[in-house]
Amino acid sequence: MTSPQKKTIFSGIQPSGTLHIGNYLGAIKQWVRLAADNTGYFCIVDEHAITVPYEPKDMPERILNLAATYLAAGINPDQSIVFVQSHVAAHTELAWLLMTTTPFGELARMTQFKDKSKQLSKKNKAGLPAIASAESGATAGLFGYPVLMAADILLYQTRIVPVGEDQVQHIELARDIAQRFNNRFGEVFTIPEAKINNNTARIMSLSDPTKKMSKSDNTKSYIALTDSPDEIKIKIMSAVTETDPVFSFTKSGPAVKNLLTIYQAFSDEEPSAIEAKFNGKGYKEFKEALAQLVINQLSPLQQEYKKLRQSDDELRIMLGRGKHHAEQFANTTLRDVKEKMGLL
Ligand code: AMP
Ligand code: TRP
């Protein structure tokens, strides 16, 4: 499937809840663009999702929902490889092998681990269920999470990893892991690069523009890809703004800048054209226009999603094909790694 001019792109999202427009604009929209003339691997990273407490009976549905979202957003499974991480055993196997070459101290520096383990220990103290010790709340799986992510990326000789800003530190680590392996055991891995879309790398919360938009926040702070037109309108109309209505990508406060960024990302219009359009207008008019834009842009995705969710079987067949393709490539890399490491 790989031709010399094509680059390999790899990315993934965890099936751990509703996707929001931050995920769409920060990650998936870039995937679709890049997948058009490269070889794309788009993974549903279920083994990452189980590193924090979760409900097993909800997981199959979440995996299928996420697969349908990838396709509805424009990933073409005849051109790209769409698959589930746990279907390709090479991911966890390579993760273990790489675990033995990764210093503990490098993992201890990962900010996502620090944030998530803090959140978990807070929940533990509040008496909510968690698997691990009440002391830390975090499992060894959560600690090793970035090594599994490195394995995901390195198995496919990936060049480009399109993600939002919060994942850049993990990709830096994957590069270090790959370089260290190549130096110690001989050249196996391509060194990957993170690709973030500067404009949309960090879409902020609608209720607090100092925090990134996140599904773990209150529902008014984010727009889910599955929100109805009414919900979208209510959320945008009640988004916080600064006191004076100034519509400028450089001079507006953080709340309005975030809304302008969302407008720009969905409309693909030039920032100066957007500034001119709303110059002298009030917030109500701007927000109404933004709400309508988001509703219109999400509508085809939502319709396609509904269609795809009518049949589990078709999605499962598509994922079966993805597994088959991914496995072939992944197993070749894994064999090479084991040989270089001296395993018989
Ligand atoms: P998550 O749902 O946190 O696993 O994120 C899935 C993908 O969406 C990753 O590439 C993230 O970097 C990206 N992402 C998550 N939240 C945002 C946000 N608020 N703005 C931009 N990208 C985001
Ligand atoms: N850790 C990523 C996130 O939370 C998801 C992920 C797992 C990923 N493996 C990956 C992203 C490999 C890019 C490449 O968003």
Side-chain angles (χ1 to χ4, degrees), residues 11-28 30-31 45 48 70 112 116 145 149 161-168 171 195-197 199-205 211-215 258:
S11 200
I13 296 183
Q14 303 179 51
S16 49
T18 348
L19 289 197
H20 52 69
I21 58 169
N23 303 124
Y24 177 66
L25 300 174
I28 305 179
Q30 283 207 82
W31 300 3
V45 288
H48 278 109
Y70 284 7
Q112 185 174 297
K116 284 196 180 176
Y145 173 122
M149 180 161 163
V161 189
V163 281
E165 197 180 61
D166 57 348
Q167 295 303 316
V168 171
I171 293 160
K195 181 158 174 48
I196 62 169
N197 181 342
N199 298 329
T200 55
R202 220 168 131 79
I203 300 291
M204 308 309 279
S205 152
K211 292 200 299 201
K212 72 165 193 163
M213 184 176 281
S214 160
K215 63 192 158 207
N258 186 44

